[in-house]
Amino acid sequence: MEAFGLLVYGFSVLLTWKILALMMVGLVLGIFVGVLPGLGGPNGVAILLPLTFTMDPTSAIVMLSCIYWGALFGGAITSILFNIPGEAWSVATTFDGYPMAQQGKAAEALTAAFTSSFIGSLVAVLLITFLAPGIASFALRFGPPEFFAVYLLTFCSFVGLGREEKHKTIISMALGLLLAGVGMDTVSGQLRMTFGLDELLRGINFLVAVIGLFGISEILLTMEERLALRGHAASISLRTVLKVWKEMPRYWVTLLRSSAIGCWLGITPGGAIAASFMSYNLAKRFSKDKESFGKGRIEGVFAPETAAHASGTSALLPMLALGIPGSGTAAILLGGLMVWGLNPGPLLFVEHKGFVWGLIASMYLGNVVGLVLVLTTVPLFAAILRVPFSAIAPMIVVSCAIGAYAIQNAMFDIWLMLLFGVVGYVFKKIGIPLAPFTLALVLGNRAEDSFRLSMIGAGGDMRVFWSNGLVGSIATLALVLLFWPLIGGAFGRLRSAFGKKTA
Amino acid sequence: MAKSEDEIVVEDPPAPASDSPAVTSNRAVDVVVSLLLLAFAGLLAFDNWRTGMGWDATGPQAGYFPFYLSVILAAACLWGVAKEFLVREQASGTFVTREQLRRVLQVFVPTLLFCLFTQWLGLYVASFLLIAGFMVFVGRIAVWKSLLTAFLFSLIMFVTFEIAFDVLMPKGPLEALFGR
């Protein structure tokens, strides 16, 4: 039980008043971000990232990851009370959560959502605790060809497994990789794609792009819609909580299945949204009473919430162990690591034990504290929605600008953010997915470096990617995933038809 | 459980009408974006070709990786355009209606002005103007409420970033007056 000892060590890193206070601040901010329309997990984390620049990495990641947990919890509040999913992965929660609230069972629905979120992330954290160190130490043997193969696998799985039109995923990814290359070339020191603009020498900052793509564009999109809302106020009493908890063990199959789906889809990139829908659908399919789904069945809240949280949490596993984020938010946390001067990847487990195990321990603690916090403060957060959007929208714009500027103290970045805001707005409307872009932008340089290093090592022979069993099987798997739509064509068509029905 | 009967209702009077005429379709925007990206890919491919997209003694040159990416990007764009013209039967949704566009511009134009003002007046003054202006003119919220909210928000931001966390923002004449 080596992991256990290290975990205890992680808790010892964590248990200082300063970090505990930051954790609370992070959770409250996160729930805030999750509840507010036009803000969500990824942009909340991106906007608040500058707050952490002057902190040490451990405090910084603890606070940021708590913002993330908070946002995950917060998304459920608006889904259930107002039928407005704060995040795409909360959409499935509205199917049964909102009907429950209409029947006056809002408190039960909320308790169910929070508790199952907690269970989902707990399962995922356990997975991280026991699996991540092993994967990391295995990955220590990786050379540049292996790493390039893993990056390739990540990109290919987006194209092959994504629900969007393939060419749009490719556009998004190629654009991200290209923009990542702008500026000084890390291998030769040459300038590329700067077109004589001094501001582009530094390259296009990943976080600036994220703030624009998710923050600004989300405001534009939110404004388009009718902002009037009507929902239920709710407060949760201890009796309700105990009642729901007593019922819970009956649904252990659903909880377990949803956790498993969540963990699996969380580790493969781009899966959080798919996870919540899939586990909802499976819960429905395996239920004896299919008709009652969508009419306020508690199981219909358990399933998607467990899966969403499990996948949201397990998305951090590949980020920690391999330096490859499993979700948009994980990509931003990865961007944060680089800002704090840490090099993401398997060496993190060796060189920065305190950081890694502090983070893992904070996942346990953060989720427990988060659960208690949301259960007790729901009425407060639901009341935030009374604040008119015309007051919130400009505040979010200002926060985005602060975040974008603070990263490199450059006015140019504020303009860049605005540009990415418009790009994000248009892309979202015509169905070009943003997640592959984000991932490509953050991984671009590392992917290119590993490619060129392997080429230099092999003297330009592409066969280096099939030179041994390990790299060969990863590279082959990548290609299989890339052409998965052709290979599993019939299966794919079936699944997308199934997906469209629920989305 | 009496409390759960309480309703939270937020009205949105200037909401876009659902029957507003469409400005443009998704298909049109799709084609335009694809063509723009195609041009962009061409530009980048040219630049990388100039940098050097081949191999030299040390391995791939600086332009190699991005050059082939621009080729991939161009190919994906062409595919997209071709698909739009060849596959005609599928109905294309509305990209944006006139009313929606009006609402989007209601946020976008102030945001643009905010960025301009940030350059001249500093971020905090610009933030005050943006929030106050937006609340009064777009949100139709009482003037005193708007001014107070804008002032408090800007002040809290100032205290949080400049004083508590040492994150410096662009500042203008007003801050200079106070010697910051």
Side-chain angles (χ1 to χ4, degrees):
Chain A
M1 291 305 258
E2 191 204 354
F4 189 73
L6 286 164
L7 191 61
V8 172
Y9 166 65
F11 274 108
S12 74
V13 174
L14 210 60
L15 290 172
T16 66
W17 286 114
K18 187 186 148 208
I19 291 194
L20 289 179
L22 284 176
M23 223 162 128
M24 290 301 282
V25 172
L27 282 167
V28 172
L29 283 174
I31 301 171
F32 217 81
V33 160
V35 169
L36 285 180
L39 264 184
N43 43 53
V45 176
I47 292 167
L48 295 167
L49 193 71
L51 280 180
T52 65
F53 283 171
T54 48
M55 298 179 190
D56 63 289
T58 312
S59 320
I61 190 96
V62 167
M63 182 164 150
L64 278 185
S65 57
C66 282
I67 293 174
Y68 185 29
W69 314 139
L72 284 167
F73 277 121
I77 299 179
T78 49
S79 305
I80 291 170
L81 295 182
F82 296 92
N83 204 15
I84 302 170
E87 309 273 357
W89 59 68
S90 316
V91 172
T93 311
T94 61
F95 297 161
D96 278 277
Y98 186 63
M100 279 183 81
Q102 281 179 314
Q103 292 157 20
K105 289 192 286 188
E108 278 96 328
L110 285 168
T111 312
F114 297 149
T115 317
S116 52
S117 309
F118 171 74
I119 292 173
S121 48
L122 193 68
V123 172
V125 181
L126 282 170
L127 193 76
I128 292 179
T129 312
F130 294 102
L131 222 57
I135 296 177
S137 70
F138 180 67
L140 279 177
R141 284 188 277 158
F142 282 15
E146 281 83 1
F147 268 112
F148 181 73
V150 173
Y151 292 131
L152 192 68
L153 178 68
T154 313
F155 295 135
C156 290
S157 66
F158 252 115
V159 178
L161 302 179
R163 297 158 152 241
E164 292 83 8
E165 289 178 79
K166 306 299 170 212
H167 73 275
K168 288 185 172 164
T169 310
I170 295 175
I171 287 179
S172 157
M173 199 170 286
L175 199 62
L177 287 168
L178 275 170
L179 293 184
V182 171
M184 180 110 62
D185 169 30
T186 43
V187 178
S188 69
Q190 257 179 300
L191 291 179
R192 308 186 289 191
M193 298 179 272
T194 56
F195 301 101
L197 276 174
D198 288 345
E199 280 91 351
L200 285 177
L201 291 185
R202 284 186 309 256
I204 290 173
N205 189 283
F206 162 72
L207 294 165
V208 174
V210 167
I211 292 174
L213 284 177
F214 293 94
I216 300 291
S217 81
E218 201 56 50
I219 297 279
L220 298 177
L221 283 171
T222 312
M223 270 307 272
E224 259 185 17
E225 276 140 38
R226 200 181 166 76
L227 292 171
L229 49 90
R230 175 178 287 271
H232 307 265
S235 60
I236 300 175
S237 67
L238 186 63
R239 215 171 40 185
T240 326
V241 175
L242 292 178
K243 191 179 136 221
V244 173
W245 284 1
K246 219 162 77 187
E247 268 180 53
M248 222 160 172
R250 265 204 281 155
Y251 300 106
W252 67 275
V253 187
T254 305
L255 291 172
L256 210 65
R257 184 176 53 225
S258 304
S259 308
I261 295 170
C263 287
W264 172 245
L265 287 175
I267 293 170
T268 49
I273 301 159
S276 60
F277 280 113
M278 201 192 225
S279 77
Y280 181 85
N281 286 330
L282 284 180
K284 191 173 169 181
R285 197 188 297 172
F286 285 113
S287 170
K288 286 189 201 89
D289 187 12
K290 290 184 188 62
E291 290 303 304
S292 64
F293 272 87
K295 292 177 188 146
R297 193 180 165 87
I298 201 160
E299 217 179 330
V301 177
F302 281 139
E305 279 294 307
T306 313
H309 261 232
S311 73
T313 310
S314 61
L316 297 183
L317 195 155
M319 183 199 93
L320 277 176
L322 298 171
I324 293 171
S327 73
T329 314
I332 296 160
L333 292 177
L334 190 88
L337 291 190
M338 298 192 219
V339 173
W340 308 315
L342 297 176
N343 193 15
L347 273 176
L348 214 55
F349 275 83
V350 183
E351 290 171 350
H352 299 280
K353 275 206 170 88
F355 172 82
V356 171
W357 288 101
L359 170 62
I360 294 178
S362 86
M363 294 179 188
Y364 286 96
L365 207 58
N367 275 301
V368 177
V369 178
L371 178 67
V372 176
L373 199 68
V374 278
L375 283 176
T376 46
T377 56
V378 161
L380 228 72
F381 283 106
I384 292 172
L385 285 167
R386 287 181 204 265
V387 180
F389 188 68
S390 45
I392 292 170
M395 290 183 192
I396 296 178
V397 170
V398 172
S399 315
C400 288
I402 292 179
Y405 181 84
I407 296 160
Q408 307 184 95
N409 286 321
M411 189 61 213
F412 178 72
D413 285 348
I414 294 188
W415 291 109
L416 207 58
M417 167 197 86
L418 195 62
L419 177 70
F420 275 113
V422 177
V423 170
Y425 168 76
V426 175
F427 276 18
K428 268 185 207 166
K429 295 210 78 171
I430 59 174
I432 296 183
L434 295 179
F437 178 86
T438 323
L439 197 78
L441 195 57
V442 76
L443 288 181
N445 281 324
R446 292 146 63 81
E448 186 184 351
D449 286 354
S450 61
F451 175 75
R452 283 163 74 179
L453 288 176
S454 10
M455 282 297 115
I456 292 169
D461 189 352
M462 286 281 187
R463 276 177 300 177
V464 67
F465 297 118
W466 277 272
S467 60
N468 64 49
L470 179 61
V471 67
S473 48
I474 302 174
T476 310
L477 184 63
L479 292 182
V480 168
L481 282 179
L482 180 63
F483 295 109
W484 183 248
L486 301 176
I487 299 165
F491 176 72
R493 233 170 285 144
L494 206 81
R495 217 175 76 152
S496 74
F498 188 62
K500 270 193 199 108
K501 222 183 285 168
T502 53
Chain B
M1 291 303 296
K3 259 200 148 172
S4 71
E5 298 305 314
D6 294 354
E7 280 217 322
I8 295 178
V9 180
V10 178
E11 295 298 339
D12 179 30
S18 46
D19 56 351
S20 168
V23 176
T24 174
S25 71
N26 271 335
R27 186 198 297 271
V29 179
D30 211 338
V31 171
V32 170
V33 168
S34 295
L35 290 176
L36 280 176
L37 286 172
L38 187 64
F40 186 59
L43 180 72
L44 291 184
F46 170 71
D47 189 70
N48 284 305
W49 169 76
R50 215 175 38 184
T51 310
M53 42 112 351
W55 297 71
D56 61 14
T58 58
Q61 286 178 315
Y64 176 86
F65 204 71
F67 177 81
Y68 284 100
L69 281 168
S70 3
V71 173
I72 294 175
L73 178 60
C77 292
L78 280 175
W79 174 271
V81 174
K83 205 175 156 196
E84 288 299 337
F85 282 104
L86 295 177
V87 188
R88 279 229 153 239
E89 67 269 28
Q90 74 196 47
S92 151
T94 303
F95 180 75
V96 71
T97 65
R98 202 173 298 164
E99 294 250 315
Q100 283 177 328
L101 186 66
R102 183 178 59 85
R103 291 259 290 198
V104 170
L105 288 179
Q106 271 179 353
V107 222
F108 182 73
V109 173
T111 305
L112 193 72
L113 291 175
F114 162 74
C115 293
L116 273 177
F117 283 152
T118 301
Q119 229 157 358
W120 298 328
L121 302 173
L123 183 125
Y124 298 104
V125 177
S127 131
F128 173 79
L129 292 176
L130 172 72
I131 297 170
F134 197 86
M135 287 175 74
V136 172
F137 295 111
V138 180
R140 316 261 158 85
I141 297 168
V143 175
W144 72 270
K145 271 192 204 165
S146 310
L147 290 176
L148 186 68
T149 314
F151 178 72
L152 283 179
F153 183 79
S154 303
L155 188 72
I156 291 171
M157 286 293 128
F158 184 80
V159 171
T160 316
F161 285 93
E162 297 283 328
I163 298 172
F165 284 89
D166 253 335
V167 180
L168 302 180
M169 285 295 125
K171 285 184 285 287
L174 182 75
E175 286 90 346
L177 218 62
F178 292 107
R180 299 269 326 182

